[in-house]
Amino acid sequence: MARPLIAGNWKMNLRLSEAISLAEAVRREAEKADGPDLLLCPPFPFLAAVGEALRGSRVALGAQTLHPEPKGAYTGEVAGEMLAEVGCRFAIVGHSERRQHFREDNAAVAARVRAAHRARLAALVCVGETLPEREEGRTLEVVERQAGAALEAHPSDVASVTVAYEPVWAIGTGRIATVEQAAEAHQAIRRLVRETRPSARDVRVLYGGSVTPDTAPALLAHPEVDGALVGGASLKADSFLAIVRAVPKARLGRSA
Ligand code: PEP
């Protein structure tokens, strides 16, 4: 079983001073006690300063997206190599807001997974169905198609894979998947990883979508749930750290 990961996706929120204070609070928590692996994904302009605040700690830094190319005439875009240079170890890929607002389809997501590996970043791949897709009974079909496209883009000898199941209808809505709904999707994703990338021994399937200190304990107690990708509740130290502390002690202390 993989060591749990709690990741904060700050999206386009916070001022620089707030971002640094929040990073420092998470760092202090990480120093205090054994806990899950931690990842913070600030907006691009804050990466270097937050990376500095986290330097030497066990809190990893991640970007919210990356461009497929290593360099070039792509005004406004950022390459994985640049992210690695400022200390990123992860890049979120395929977040539903990227799929929706920036028209990133499965091919675009796959290109970004390849770019992440080229830059030696771990891709945190997001997949999830919309509400109409769930209501039409197509949840697993959609999740498997999205995850399959992203997994094919991982090198065949990849050792570690991180996927977040994020039902689109649960993101930022206060509506959360039941533990059973999450577990069903997680099982399907895990099965697909086993089939397509058997070299991956460190496989983490996170849940994302309106995770709060109230909803986290039941989700994180389920053996199919290897952690959480947290949006809104990651913007305040109190709520994010309450989620971090909700990881059952029995899941800690063992690396994949
Ligand atoms: C997210 O954006 O990845 C997310 C899960 O957001 P929220 O926790 O706010 O639903």
Side-chain angles (χ1 to χ4, degrees):
M1 212 179 263
R3 191 175 172 80
L5 170 69
I6 305 292
N9 174 14
W10 294 352
K11 310 192 187 187
M12 198 171 71
N13 292 301
L14 301 174
R15 306 306 299 258
L16 179 57
S17 58
E18 295 169 325
I20 293 171
S21 305
L22 183 50
E24 285 170 347
V26 176
R27 179 191 178 121
R28 280 195 297 277
E29 173 77 12
E31 279 163 1
K32 244 198 275 166
D34 188 26
D37 288 349
L38 298 170
L39 167 65
L40 297 179
C41 300
F44 283 145
F46 299 169
L47 280 170
V50 169
E52 198 51 46
L54 299 177
R55 188 191 289 275
S57 78
R58 60 180 190 82
V59 186
L61 184 69
Q64 297 174 16
T65 183
L66 77 167
H67 190 270
E69 297 298 328
K71 60 181 229 177
Y74 300 99
T75 302
E77 294 293 322
V78 178
E81 285 75 0
M82 296 167 174
L83 298 170
E85 237 185 311
V86 295
C88 286
R89 287 176 39 212
F90 283 81
I92 298 176
V93 176
H95 192 279
S96 69
E97 288 154 16
R98 300 294 311 178
R99 293 180 192 262
Q100 185 188 345
H101 302 304
F102 302 94
R103 298 178 197 278
E104 288 180 13
D105 58 14
N106 286 338
V109 172
R112 284 161 174 77
V113 171
R114 278 190 285 274
H117 282 282
R118 187 192 61 225
R120 300 184 192 286
L121 298 170
L124 196 177
V125 174
C126 300
V127 299
E129 81 288 0
T130 62
L131 192 55
E133 287 164 343
R134 172 163 285 276
E135 286 170 348
E136 289 161 16
R138 297 176 49 221
T139 297
L140 295 188
E141 171 203 325
V142 170
V143 164
E144 285 171 0
R145 186 160 8 91
Q146 292 179 345
L151 285 166
E152 290 291 326
H154 282 76
S156 55
D157 62 348
V158 68
S160 152
V161 165
T162 308
V163 179
Y165 168 58
E166 298 208 305
V168 178
W169 47 270
I171 297 180
T173 59
R175 192 172 163 190
I176 189 160
T178 63
V179 175
E180 293 72 27
Q181 287 170 331
E184 184 188 34
H186 285 220
Q187 265 162 14
I189 293 165
R190 216 180 289 283
R191 194 180 326 116
L192 203 59
V193 177
R194 263 199 308 270
E195 283 166 14
T196 59
R197 289 296 177 267
S199 61
R201 261 166 282 284
D202 176 16
V203 180
R204 288 196 272 209
V205 186
L206 314 183
Y207 171 81
S210 295
V211 176
T212 65
D214 290 336
T215 57
L219 279 160
L220 295 173
H222 197 286
E224 279 293 337
V225 180
D226 300 317
L229 177 54
V230 186
S234 73
L235 297 174
K236 292 239 159 40
D238 283 359
S239 46
F240 187 64
L241 295 179
I243 294 168
V244 170
R245 292 178 197 130
V247 174
K249 291 279 171 284
R251 290 294 304 270
L252 301 173
R254 206 141 57 99
S255 283

